[in-house]
Amino acid sequence: MAGSQFAYVRNFELPDPVLPNVYMVVRIDGKGFHRFSDAHDFAKPNDGRALELMNEAARHVVQALKPDVVLAFGESDEYSFLLRRSCSLYKRRASKILTQIVSLFTSAYVFCWSEIMGKQEELKYPPTFDGRLVAYPTAKEIRDYFAWRQADTHINNLYNTTFWALVHADNADGLGERRAHETLKGTVSSEKNEILFSRFGINYDKLEPMFRKGTTIVWGESTPEEEADAEEDAAAGAGEGPMKSQEKEKGNRSRGAPELRTLHVDIIGKEFWTAPSEQPGRRV
Ligand code: DGT
Ligand code: MG
Ligand code: MG
Ligand code: MG
Ligand code: MG
């Protein structure tokens, strides 16, 4: 067969399977987002729309890789995706799984850019993301992994919020960036909280949960309120033409079916991992 004398090169393609029956976590991170966020005038320290764009790109990944991705957590320019232990995607080949997620996330980020950032916000150059895949043997490492990422969210957000408050103070106290760094050097959390409260009247705990807790995406049951809404919609639509009856059908079908939930909650404590209201059974 033509080409068979060349086909031996295939033997150089070594398999890279991940061990069976272990959790996999893929973390993607924006490349050079310090520059990217400046170039696109992201608000400091947190740009709500830019974070929503990250969340939307992540939802694309979770949807597309259903049911293998069971949880995603994002903050800043990064997102972590947890794959269930029984995942058999690409026969568990690490490079295939990793590149698929990085590629899908990146293209979704670009695809959704104008919808979320606004049509007038030009994408000035192609954003890229790097990624890594790590295997973890037990639920303990998984919970500690996500606790580690959320603790990072908190530390960075508290620092950045205090830093930019010091820099932007619109009175004679306004420090330059260098002096703000100096002021915060060596301070512990309680001191930053105190600066925020006494100098700027900011109660850190009242700031947006998305900024403080990051974003967690999980499959879950709809809440009783959402079900009531769906029922209301369905009832209102009864007998009112094809569009309405389709909505009704959708409302009916979604009842009890797992749907994507976007949360900004504590995932360090054990409640998140065991709460029956969020998902029947344990998450991992
Ligand atoms: P890397 O990941 O090594 O290629 O380098 P960077 O520049 O992406 O650095 P990284 O990932 O450690 O830190 C994320 C950067 O993205 C950091 O400079 C702050 C910026 N960034 C992320 N989210 C926001 C935001 O909402 N607003 C602003 N202004 N900047 C953000
Ligand atoms: Mg990085
Ligand atoms: Mg980055
Ligand atoms: Mg980062
Ligand atoms: Mg192909």
Short mmCIF file of all heavy atoms in Angstrom, two decimals, residues 197-245:
data_model
loop_
_atom_site.label_atom_id
_atom_site.label_comp_id
_atom_site.label_asym_id
_atom_site.label_seq_id
_atom_site.Cartn_x
_atom_site.Cartn_y
_atom_site.Cartn_z
N PHE A 197 -11.55 49.61 55.75
CA PHE A 197 -12.71 50.09 56.51
C PHE A 197 -12.49 51.49 57.06
O PHE A 197 -13.31 52.39 56.85
CB PHE A 197 -13.02 49.12 57.65
CG PHE A 197 -14.36 49.38 58.25
CD1 PHE A 197 -15.53 49.13 57.53
CD2 PHE A 197 -14.49 49.91 59.54
CE1 PHE A 197 -16.78 49.38 58.06
CE2 PHE A 197 -15.74 50.17 60.08
CZ PHE A 197 -16.88 49.91 59.34
N SER A 198 -11.34 51.70 57.71
CA SER A 198 -11.16 52.99 58.39
C SER A 198 -10.83 54.11 57.40
O SER A 198 -11.24 55.24 57.60
CB SER A 198 -10.08 52.87 59.46
OG SER A 198 -8.87 52.49 58.88
N ARG A 199 -10.12 53.81 56.33
CA ARG A 199 -9.74 54.89 55.42
C ARG A 199 -10.71 55.09 54.27
O ARG A 199 -10.81 56.17 53.70
CB ARG A 199 -8.33 54.66 54.87
CG ARG A 199 -7.29 54.88 55.98
CD ARG A 199 -5.91 54.46 55.57
NE ARG A 199 -5.28 55.36 54.63
CZ ARG A 199 -3.97 55.31 54.37
NH1 ARG A 199 -3.20 54.46 55.03
NH2 ARG A 199 -3.45 56.11 53.48
N PHE A 200 -11.41 54.01 53.90
CA PHE A 200 -12.27 54.13 52.71
C PHE A 200 -13.72 53.74 52.98
O PHE A 200 -14.55 53.77 52.06
CB PHE A 200 -11.70 53.27 51.57
CG PHE A 200 -10.27 53.60 51.26
CD1 PHE A 200 -9.24 52.74 51.65
CD2 PHE A 200 -9.93 54.78 50.61
CE1 PHE A 200 -7.92 53.06 51.39
CE2 PHE A 200 -8.61 55.11 50.35
CZ PHE A 200 -7.59 54.25 50.74
N GLY A 201 -14.01 53.35 54.22
CA GLY A 201 -15.38 52.97 54.55
C GLY A 201 -15.86 51.72 53.82
O GLY A 201 -17.06 51.50 53.63
N ILE A 202 -14.89 50.90 53.37
CA ILE A 202 -15.26 49.70 52.61
C ILE A 202 -15.28 48.50 53.55
O ILE A 202 -14.28 48.20 54.21
CB ILE A 202 -14.25 49.43 51.46
CG1 ILE A 202 -14.29 50.58 50.45
CG2 ILE A 202 -14.53 48.08 50.80
CD1 ILE A 202 -13.20 50.48 49.38
N ASN A 203 -16.43 47.82 53.60
CA ASN A 203 -16.53 46.57 54.35
C ASN A 203 -16.24 45.44 53.35
O ASN A 203 -17.07 45.12 52.49
CB ASN A 203 -17.94 46.44 54.95
CG ASN A 203 -18.07 45.16 55.77
OD1 ASN A 203 -17.23 44.28 55.70
ND2 ASN A 203 -19.14 45.08 56.54
N TYR A 204 -15.06 44.85 53.48
CA TYR A 204 -14.61 43.88 52.48
C TYR A 204 -15.64 42.77 52.25
O TYR A 204 -15.90 42.37 51.11
CB TYR A 204 -13.27 43.27 52.88
CG TYR A 204 -12.75 42.28 51.85
CD1 TYR A 204 -12.12 42.72 50.70
CD2 TYR A 204 -12.95 40.91 52.02
CE1 TYR A 204 -11.69 41.82 49.74
CE2 TYR A 204 -12.52 40.00 51.06
CZ TYR A 204 -11.88 40.47 49.93
OH TYR A 204 -11.47 39.58 48.97
N ASP A 205 -16.26 42.32 53.35
CA ASP A 205 -17.21 41.21 53.25
C ASP A 205 -18.46 41.56 52.44
O ASP A 205 -19.23 40.68 52.07
CB ASP A 205 -17.61 40.71 54.64
CG ASP A 205 -16.44 40.06 55.35
OD1 ASP A 205 -15.51 39.59 54.65
OD2 ASP A 205 -16.43 40.04 56.60
N LYS A 206 -18.66 42.86 52.20
CA LYS A 206 -19.85 43.28 51.45
C LYS A 206 -19.55 43.44 49.96
O LYS A 206 -20.45 43.78 49.18
CB LYS A 206 -20.39 44.60 52.03
CG LYS A 206 -20.93 44.46 53.45
CD LYS A 206 -22.42 44.22 53.41
CE LYS A 206 -23.01 43.53 54.62
NZ LYS A 206 -22.56 43.87 55.92
N LEU A 207 -18.31 43.28 49.58
CA LEU A 207 -17.98 43.42 48.15
C LEU A 207 -18.58 42.25 47.38
O LEU A 207 -18.95 41.23 47.94
CB LEU A 207 -16.46 43.48 47.96
CG LEU A 207 -15.76 44.68 48.60
CD1 LEU A 207 -14.26 44.62 48.36
CD2 LEU A 207 -16.33 46.00 48.08
N GLU A 208 -18.64 42.43 46.06
CA GLU A 208 -19.28 41.41 45.21
C GLU A 208 -18.75 40.01 45.46
O GLU A 208 -17.54 39.79 45.39
CB GLU A 208 -19.03 41.76 43.74
CG GLU A 208 -20.18 42.49 43.09
CD GLU A 208 -20.17 42.34 41.59
OE1 GLU A 208 -20.31 41.19 41.11
OE2 GLU A 208 -20.00 43.36 40.92
N PRO A 209 -19.66 39.06 45.69
CA PRO A 209 -19.21 37.69 45.93
C PRO A 209 -18.33 37.14 44.79
O PRO A 209 -17.39 36.40 45.04
CB PRO A 209 -20.51 36.90 46.04
CG PRO A 209 -21.53 37.90 46.44
CD PRO A 209 -21.10 39.21 45.86
N MET A 210 -18.63 37.50 43.55
CA MET A 210 -17.83 36.98 42.44
C MET A 210 -16.36 37.38 42.58
O MET A 210 -15.46 36.61 42.28
CB MET A 210 -18.35 37.45 41.08
CG MET A 210 -17.49 36.98 39.92
SD MET A 210 -18.28 37.12 38.30
CE MET A 210 -18.27 38.88 38.06
N PHE A 211 -16.13 38.61 43.09
CA PHE A 211 -14.76 39.07 43.25
C PHE A 211 -14.08 38.37 44.43
O PHE A 211 -12.89 38.08 44.39
CB PHE A 211 -14.71 40.59 43.46
CG PHE A 211 -15.31 41.39 42.33
CD1 PHE A 211 -15.67 42.72 42.54
CD2 PHE A 211 -15.51 40.84 41.08
CE1 PHE A 211 -16.22 43.48 41.49
CE2 PHE A 211 -16.06 41.58 40.03
CZ PHE A 211 -16.41 42.91 40.25
N ARG A 212 -14.84 38.14 45.49
CA ARG A 212 -14.26 37.57 46.71
C ARG A 212 -14.13 36.06 46.65
O ARG A 212 -13.20 35.48 47.20
CB ARG A 212 -15.11 37.94 47.93
CG ARG A 212 -15.05 39.42 48.31
CD ARG A 212 -15.86 39.72 49.56
NE ARG A 212 -17.29 39.54 49.37
CZ ARG A 212 -18.02 38.59 49.93
NH1 ARG A 212 -17.47 37.73 50.77
NH2 ARG A 212 -19.31 38.50 49.68
N LYS A 213 -15.11 35.41 46.02
CA LYS A 213 -15.19 33.94 46.06
C LYS A 213 -14.87 33.27 44.74
O LYS A 213 -14.87 32.04 44.65
CB LYS A 213 -16.60 33.50 46.48
CG LYS A 213 -17.05 34.04 47.82
CD LYS A 213 -16.35 33.34 48.95
CE LYS A 213 -16.80 33.86 50.30
NZ LYS A 213 -15.84 33.50 51.36
N GLY A 214 -14.65 34.06 43.69
CA GLY A 214 -14.48 33.46 42.38
C GLY A 214 -15.79 32.88 41.90
O GLY A 214 -16.86 33.17 42.47
N THR A 215 -15.75 32.09 40.83
CA THR A 215 -16.97 31.53 40.25
C THR A 215 -16.86 30.02 40.17
O THR A 215 -15.86 29.49 39.70
CB THR A 215 -17.20 32.11 38.84
OG1 THR A 215 -17.37 33.53 38.95
CG2 THR A 215 -18.43 31.50 38.18
N THR A 216 -17.91 29.35 40.67
CA THR A 216 -17.95 27.90 40.62
C THR A 216 -19.12 27.48 39.74
O THR A 216 -20.23 27.97 39.91
CB THR A 216 -18.13 27.33 42.04
OG1 THR A 216 -17.06 27.81 42.86
CG2 THR A 216 -18.09 25.81 42.03
N ILE A 217 -18.85 26.61 38.80
CA ILE A 217 -19.89 26.12 37.90
C ILE A 217 -20.07 24.63 38.16
O ILE A 217 -19.10 23.87 38.12
CB ILE A 217 -19.49 26.38 36.43
CG1 ILE A 217 -19.35 27.88 36.17
CG2 ILE A 217 -20.52 25.76 35.48
CD1 ILE A 217 -18.72 28.22 34.83
N VAL A 218 -21.30 24.26 38.45
CA VAL A 218 -21.60 22.84 38.70
C VAL A 218 -22.91 22.46 38.03
O VAL A 218 -23.73 23.32 37.70
CB VAL A 218 -21.77 22.53 40.21
CG1 VAL A 218 -20.45 22.48 40.93
CG2 VAL A 218 -22.72 23.52 40.88
N TRP A 219 -23.09 21.18 37.84
CA TRP A 219 -24.40 20.68 37.44
C TRP A 219 -25.23 20.54 38.70
O TRP A 219 -24.74 20.05 39.71
CB TRP A 219 -24.26 19.31 36.76
CG TRP A 219 -23.60 19.39 35.43
CD1 TRP A 219 -22.32 19.03 35.14
CD2 TRP A 219 -24.18 19.86 34.22
NE1 TRP A 219 -22.06 19.25 33.81
CE2 TRP A 219 -23.19 19.76 33.22
CE3 TRP A 219 -25.44 20.37 33.87
CZ2 TRP A 219 -23.41 20.15 31.89
CZ3 TRP A 219 -25.66 20.75 32.56
CH2 TRP A 219 -24.66 20.64 31.59
N GLY A 220 -26.47 20.98 38.64
CA GLY A 220 -27.31 20.84 39.82
C GLY A 220 -28.77 20.82 39.44
O GLY A 220 -29.13 21.00 38.28
N GLU A 221 -29.59 20.59 40.43
CA GLU A 221 -31.03 20.64 40.25
C GLU A 221 -31.45 22.10 40.30
O GLU A 221 -30.84 22.89 41.01
CB GLU A 221 -31.73 19.90 41.38
CG GLU A 221 -31.28 18.48 41.54
CD GLU A 221 -32.15 17.53 40.75
OE1 GLU A 221 -33.37 17.64 40.89
OE2 GLU A 221 -31.61 16.71 40.00
N SER A 222 -32.53 22.44 39.62
CA SER A 222 -33.02 23.80 39.76
C SER A 222 -33.63 23.97 41.15
O SER A 222 -34.11 23.02 41.76
CB SER A 222 -34.05 24.12 38.67
OG SER A 222 -34.96 23.07 38.55
N THR A 223 -33.58 25.20 41.65
CA THR A 223 -34.12 25.48 42.98
C THR A 223 -35.65 25.53 42.91
O THR A 223 -36.20 25.69 41.82
CB THR A 223 -33.61 26.84 43.49
OG1 THR A 223 -34.09 27.85 42.59
CG2 THR A 223 -32.10 26.88 43.55
N PRO A 224 -36.35 25.44 44.05
CA PRO A 224 -37.81 25.53 44.03
C PRO A 224 -38.29 26.83 43.37
O PRO A 224 -39.28 26.82 42.63
CB PRO A 224 -38.17 25.51 45.51
CG PRO A 224 -37.03 24.81 46.17
CD PRO A 224 -35.81 25.12 45.36
N GLU A 225 -37.56 27.95 43.58
CA GLU A 225 -37.97 29.23 42.97
C GLU A 225 -37.92 29.13 41.45
O GLU A 225 -38.82 29.57 40.74
CB GLU A 225 -37.07 30.38 43.42
CG GLU A 225 -37.17 30.75 44.89
CD GLU A 225 -36.40 29.78 45.79
OE1 GLU A 225 -35.33 29.33 45.37
OE2 GLU A 225 -36.90 29.46 46.89
N GLU A 226 -36.83 28.55 40.95
CA GLU A 226 -36.69 28.43 39.50
C GLU A 226 -37.77 27.53 38.92
O GLU A 226 -38.30 27.78 37.84
CB GLU A 226 -35.30 27.88 39.15
CG GLU A 226 -34.19 28.90 39.33
CD GLU A 226 -32.80 28.28 39.36
OE1 GLU A 226 -32.68 27.08 39.64
OE2 GLU A 226 -31.85 29.01 39.10
N GLU A 227 -38.10 26.48 39.66
CA GLU A 227 -39.14 25.58 39.17
C GLU A 227 -40.49 26.27 39.12
O GLU A 227 -41.26 26.09 38.18
CB GLU A 227 -39.21 24.33 40.06
CG GLU A 227 -37.96 23.51 39.94
CD GLU A 227 -38.19 22.04 40.24
OE1 GLU A 227 -39.34 21.67 40.50
OE2 GLU A 227 -37.22 21.28 40.21
N ALA A 228 -40.75 27.11 40.15
CA ALA A 228 -42.02 27.86 40.16
C ALA A 228 -42.07 28.80 38.97
O ALA A 228 -43.10 28.90 38.29
CB ALA A 228 -42.14 28.64 41.47
N ASP A 229 -40.94 29.45 38.66
CA ASP A 229 -40.87 30.34 37.49
C ASP A 229 -41.18 29.57 36.21
O ASP A 229 -41.95 30.01 35.37
CB ASP A 229 -39.47 30.96 37.37
CG ASP A 229 -39.28 32.11 38.35
OD1 ASP A 229 -40.29 32.50 38.98
OD2 ASP A 229 -38.14 32.59 38.49
N ALA A 230 -40.53 28.41 36.09
CA ALA A 230 -40.72 27.61 34.88
C ALA A 230 -42.18 27.19 34.75
O ALA A 230 -42.75 27.21 33.65
CB ALA A 230 -39.81 26.38 34.92
N GLU A 231 -42.79 26.84 35.87
CA GLU A 231 -44.19 26.43 35.84
C GLU A 231 -45.09 27.58 35.43
O GLU A 231 -46.01 27.42 34.63
CB GLU A 231 -44.62 25.93 37.23
CG GLU A 231 -44.77 24.42 37.30
CD GLU A 231 -44.80 23.91 38.72
OE1 GLU A 231 -45.66 24.39 39.49
OE2 GLU A 231 -43.96 23.05 39.05
N GLU A 232 -44.78 28.76 35.98
CA GLU A 232 -45.55 29.96 35.64
C GLU A 232 -45.46 30.24 34.15
O GLU A 232 -46.45 30.48 33.48
CB GLU A 232 -44.97 31.15 36.40
CG GLU A 232 -45.98 31.92 37.22
CD GLU A 232 -45.26 32.90 38.12
OE1 GLU A 232 -44.64 33.83 37.58
OE2 GLU A 232 -45.31 32.71 39.36
N ASP A 233 -44.22 30.20 33.63
CA ASP A 233 -44.00 30.43 32.20
C ASP A 233 -44.81 29.43 31.39
O ASP A 233 -45.46 29.77 30.41
CB ASP A 233 -42.52 30.25 31.85
CG ASP A 233 -41.67 31.39 32.39
OD1 ASP A 233 -42.28 32.37 32.87
OD2 ASP A 233 -40.43 31.29 32.34
N ALA A 234 -44.74 28.18 31.82
CA ALA A 234 -45.41 27.13 31.08
C ALA A 234 -46.93 27.36 31.08
O ALA A 234 -47.58 27.27 30.05
CB ALA A 234 -45.09 25.77 31.69
N ALA A 235 -47.46 27.71 32.26
CA ALA A 235 -48.91 27.94 32.37
C ALA A 235 -49.32 29.12 31.50
O ALA A 235 -50.31 29.06 30.77
CB ALA A 235 -49.29 28.19 33.82
N ALA A 236 -48.53 30.20 31.54
CA ALA A 236 -48.85 31.40 30.77
C ALA A 236 -48.85 31.10 29.28
O ALA A 236 -49.59 31.71 28.51
CB ALA A 236 -47.83 32.50 31.07
N GLY A 237 -48.03 30.13 28.88
CA GLY A 237 -47.88 29.87 27.45
C GLY A 237 -48.89 28.87 26.91
O GLY A 237 -48.96 28.67 25.70
N ALA A 238 -49.68 28.25 27.76
CA ALA A 238 -50.55 27.16 27.30
C ALA A 238 -51.50 27.63 26.20
O ALA A 238 -52.20 28.63 26.36
CB ALA A 238 -51.35 26.61 28.48
N GLY A 239 -51.49 26.93 25.09
CA GLY A 239 -52.42 27.20 23.99
C GLY A 239 -52.19 28.52 23.29
O GLY A 239 -53.12 29.09 22.72
N GLU A 240 -51.00 29.05 23.32
CA GLU A 240 -50.75 30.35 22.68
C GLU A 240 -49.78 30.27 21.51
O GLU A 240 -48.87 31.07 21.38
CB GLU A 240 -50.24 31.36 23.71
CG GLU A 240 -51.36 31.93 24.55
CD GLU A 240 -50.85 32.93 25.54
OE1 GLU A 240 -49.82 33.59 25.26
OE2 GLU A 240 -51.46 33.05 26.61
N GLY A 241 -49.93 29.28 20.68
CA GLY A 241 -49.09 29.20 19.48
C GLY A 241 -47.85 28.36 19.69
O GLY A 241 -47.51 28.02 20.83
N PRO A 242 -47.18 28.07 18.60
CA PRO A 242 -46.07 27.13 18.64
C PRO A 242 -44.89 27.57 19.52
O PRO A 242 -44.33 26.75 20.25
CB PRO A 242 -45.63 27.01 17.17
CG PRO A 242 -46.28 28.14 16.45
CD PRO A 242 -47.46 28.55 17.24
N MET A 243 -44.55 28.85 19.48
CA MET A 243 -43.40 29.29 20.27
C MET A 243 -43.68 29.08 21.76
O MET A 243 -42.88 28.57 22.50
CB MET A 243 -43.08 30.77 20.03
CG MET A 243 -42.48 31.06 18.68
SD MET A 243 -41.15 29.92 18.26
CE MET A 243 -39.88 30.45 19.41
N LYS A 244 -44.88 29.49 22.13
CA LYS A 244 -45.24 29.38 23.55
C LYS A 244 -45.29 27.92 23.98
O LYS A 244 -44.84 27.57 25.06
CB LYS A 244 -46.60 30.05 23.79
CG LYS A 244 -46.51 31.57 23.78
CD LYS A 244 -45.81 32.08 25.02
CE LYS A 244 -45.79 33.60 25.06
NZ LYS A 244 -44.91 34.13 26.10
N SER A 245 -45.86 27.09 23.12
CA SER A 245 -45.98 25.70 23.56
C SER A 245 -44.59 25.04 23.63
O SER A 245 -44.37 24.14 24.43
CB SER A 245 -46.94 24.91 22.68
OG SER A 245 -46.56 24.99 21.34
#
